[in-house]
Amino acid sequence: MSPKKATNRSASKGGPPRPKSGGANSRGWPGPAGGQVAHMDPPTMWRATTVQACGLWPFAAGSGAPMSGVPLGRHLYTGATVCGDPLSWFTRAHYISNPSLFMLGMPGLGKSTLVNRMLIGLSATGVVPLVLGDLKPDYADTVRALGGQVLSIGRGVGGINVLDPGAMGAAARRIGGAAGQALVSETHGRVLNMVAALVTIVRDRPMDDHEQSVLSAALHHLRERTPEGHTPRLPDLVRILAEGPERVRAVTLDRGDENRYQEAVDPLHRSLLGILDGPLGDTFASESVTRIDLNASAVCVDISRIGEADTQLTAAAMLAAWSDGLGTVAASHALADAGLQPRRWFFTVLDELWRPLRAASGIVDRIDALTRLNRTLGLGDAKITHTLKDAEALGSEADRSKARGFVERAGMVVCAGLPRQEMEELGQVVGLTRREIDLVSTWSSPPGWAAFGDREEPPGRGRFLIKVGGRPGIPIQVSITDTERHLHDTNKRWAPNEQAAAARPEQVLDLSGYGRSRAEGRRAG
């Protein structure tokens, strides 16, 4: 080899000789063996606060992911952190005009898990989660871990006294004066509506107008004759109708005729006896063992012990839980208005929406009223179901129309994996783009035929699309912690015995002490 060639090779430091013409460009040295690449990967994007990245400010780039609210996950495309919940986006960010969330998606893709994360995050900011009718249950362990109150309703498990004024009665006595009397009147209306709802469930038709007048008069008389410190019960109400006091007889127009009085009250009398001895059993006849604590950091009313086919008891338990829960919210705001306690906000969760909607029409009316008035109640809500077709299975067109309105009025609509046809129908209500429909449709695909099938997960698990009005959707991937995984396992009954024993609630709920101390500190403050 000539000295000149040796010099050229040594100049290239042992590599191939570089071409004589042209230099290196942004992609390397052109030519054979020059190291030129056809494509350069984009740099990884990172997000930091202005304090952390103050020295790199000229090179920082922002993204469109919202950062107000509970941390939910990462943006599928940019990797940016995405935060959000109905209350934060309504009160602080002002992204939505109604603090409500409606979630749809096929089973097993993580809908309840995402709402469970919102529940935990909001509780840390002082918001009180209310799960008024946990049907599986999905949230009881989380509420216990937060130091909250878990109440059970079911035959042989626990009952509720629908005549108990509950937190509203206690707040009325504490407030006193004209404001307290107004709360007493509202309490009477809630009790009247709850008893009327039970009668409607037993009869499978609404009460007559004159029967509601008789019932109202009987409740007034019962409240006046009940000694201080005692709570009336349904058997006491039945005895009032049997006795026929003058106040009750006056609204029946019996004109002193005993037969006319009996004809007027006998249908109502029979219906109340049907509540006590019929399909509802003694669940609503005993002293209330499920009174909601006004100062609880979180509340879960567990009705999972009620069988799937027991629709009447399910409907009655749901109505009673919602009546007691919303009465507690009203009592809290009344005490705050009177300056007797700090203002508190509440977040209600209604999972498996299809089941209570089909149980009784009264549930549809109550939820419909809640979605219209939750701004004035200081109340955010999350409703979870599978598809829009759940609303089509309701009995009357009026109920179906009300159920479809839940999606239209929701401030946030969150979609997990859904078939393409479902997404097309949802797009007519929410306003989805073709790309968003294609994306969410792919999340409904089943897992692949892998060698280790027990480890495969559906491609759409943990992936959601958040829609707010006409804004572009935000696709996110939720990654839960080990603590959340133990607290919210909807497949716990499919676990082998040794795994189930290792994941018992009393062994994994190590947040209970922290939750109680935080709640006590907040009440003391």
Side-chain angles (χ1 to χ4, degrees):
M1 181 181 295
S2 66
K4 183 176 182 181
K5 291 182 178 181
T7 303
N8 290 339
R9 180 172 294 277
S10 62
S12 62
K13 298 182 179 179
R18 296 175 181 175
K20 296 181 179 180
S21 61
N25 56 32
S26 61
R27 294 187 175 179
W29 295 90
Q36 187 176 25
V37 295
H39 175 73
M40 295 186 67
D41 295 332
T44 303
M45 294 183 62
W46 301 89
R47 170 174 287 192
T49 65
T50 54
V51 174
Q52 295 169 323
C54 56
L56 301 177
W57 173 251
F59 310 103
S63 71
M67 289 292 291
S68 178
V70 178
L72 302 179
R74 293 192 174 277
H75 198 287
L76 277 180
Y77 300 145
T78 66
T81 303
V82 178
C83 302
D85 61 80
L87 274 75
S88 299
W89 283 14
F90 174 74
T91 57
R92 289 190 291 166
H94 304 289
Y95 294 152
I96 58 179
S97 59
N98 188 16
S100 63
L101 178 148
F102 197 95
M103 183 178 294
L104 304 98
M106 296 180 64
L109 297 183
K111 301 185 300 296
S112 302
T113 302
L114 179 59
V115 173
N116 196 66
R117 167 163 289 190
M118 291 185 184
L119 184 150
I120 296 173
L122 287 172
S123 177
T125 65
V127 176
V128 182
L130 299 176
V131 186
L132 303 176
D134 197 351
L135 291 156
K136 290 185 179 179
D138 280 340
Y139 305 93
D141 290 344
T142 299
V143 169
R144 290 190 186 97
L146 295 173
Q149 181 186 26
V150 178
L151 313 171
S152 297
I153 296 179
R155 294 189 180 95
V157 178
I160 187 168
N161 182 6
V162 294
L163 302 189
D164 187 354
M168 292 185 69
R173 291 190 296 271
R174 184 178 174 186
I175 294 173
Q181 188 58 41
L183 201 58
V184 169
S185 300
E186 185 177 350
T187 304
H188 172 79
R190 286 186 178 272
V191 172
L192 173 62
N193 291 334
M194 188 60 237
V195 178
L198 293 182
V199 173
T200 300
I201 292 173
V202 171
R203 292 182 177 180
D204 199 21
R205 65 174 181 84
M207 291 179 60
D208 297 329
D209 54 350
H210 70 276
E211 289 181 316
Q212 294 193 36
S213 300
V214 173
L215 180 60
S216 178
L219 288 173
H220 275 299
H221 181 80
L222 181 60
R223 180 170 56 85
E224 293 172 357
R225 64 176 287 181
T226 301
E228 187 72 23
H230 292 75
T231 303
R233 299 182 297 121
L234 277 179
D236 301 326
L237 182 61
V238 172
R239 281 193 293 271
I240 293 295
L241 294 180
E243 295 172 1
E246 186 61 32
R247 182 168 188 171
V248 178
R249 289 179 178 272
V251 297
T252 63
L253 302 179
D254 67 331
R255 297 182 176 86
D257 188 341
E258 182 66 22
N259 292 331
R260 288 172 61 92
Y261 174 76
Q262 296 299 333
E263 292 176 0
V265 301
D266 277 355
L268 178 59
H269 198 165
R270 284 193 294 267
S271 296
L272 292 176
L273 291 175
I275 295 174
L276 297 176
D277 302 324
L280 302 185
D282 60 350
T283 307
F284 303 99
S286 60
E287 286 288 347
S288 177
V289 295
T290 57
R291 178 180 289 185
I292 295 177
D293 182 7
L294 186 62
N295 296 315
S297 58
V299 176
C300 174
V301 180
D302 180 5
I303 62 174
S304 60
R305 302 291 185 90
I306 303 175
E308 292 278 345
D310 202 344
T311 56
Q312 285 192 336
L313 186 56
T314 298
M318 289 288 294
L319 285 171
W322 277 85
S323 179
D324 199 9
L326 296 184
T328 302
V329 173
S332 177
H333 289 313
L335 290 171
D337 293 339
L340 298 177
Q341 73 173 27
R343 180 77 62 190
R344 306 176 81 191
W345 293 342
F346 299 84
F347 179 61
T348 63
V349 177
L350 182 56
D351 204 344
E352 298 293 335
L353 181 64
W354 63 271
R355 187 176 169 190
L357 286 181
R358 297 179 188 180
S361 60
I363 293 286
V364 181
D365 294 330
R366 187 168 294 275
I367 300 173
D368 179 65
L370 175 64
T371 58
R372 297 176 186 272
L373 301 175
N374 53 357
R375 287 183 302 170
T376 60
L377 293 175
L379 188 71
D381 71 275
K383 295 177 285 294
I384 311 173
T385 190
H386 296 150
T387 70
L388 287 178
K389 287 185 171 60
D390 293 335
E392 301 302 323
L394 299 180
S396 65
E397 178 58 33
D399 286 349
R400 289 192 291 270
S401 178
K402 294 172 185 176
R404 286 192 294 267
F406 298 159
V407 185
E408 298 171 352
R409 290 192 301 274
M412 300 171 59
V413 177
V414 180
C415 303
L418 283 170
R420 180 173 296 275
Q421 182 179 357
E422 295 288 342
M423 291 301 299
E424 296 283 356
E425 296 177 3
L426 181 62
Q428 298 177 4
V429 179
V430 179
L432 300 170
T433 65
R434 177 57 52 186
R435 184 176 181 181
E436 292 170 346
I437 292 176
D438 294 339
L439 175 65
V440 179
S441 299
T442 61
W443 296 343
S444 63
S445 303
W449 301 104
F452 302 98
D454 57 334
R455 299 181 182 178
E456 289 294 315
E457 290 189 351
R461 178 169 293 175
R463 296 189 173 189
F464 303 91
L465 180 71
I466 303 175
K467 287 289 292 184
V468 175
R471 294 172 180 263
I474 305 173
I476 65 171
Q477 173 71 55
V478 178
S479 299
I480 62 175
T481 63
D482 289 338
T483 301
E484 290 176 287
R485 186 174 291 108
H486 288 302
L487 291 176
H488 190 78
D489 183 7
T490 57
N491 295 327
K492 62 178 63 176
R493 291 190 174 179
W494 290 96
N497 291 332
E498 60 273 12
Q499 294 182 14
R504 287 174 182 167
E506 60 266 26
Q507 297 182 10
V508 301
L509 295 180
D510 54 356
L511 298 177
S512 57
Y514 167 77
R516 282 195 297 270
S517 62
R518 180 174 54 82
E520 292 169 358
R522 183 170 61 243
R523 290 196 294 270

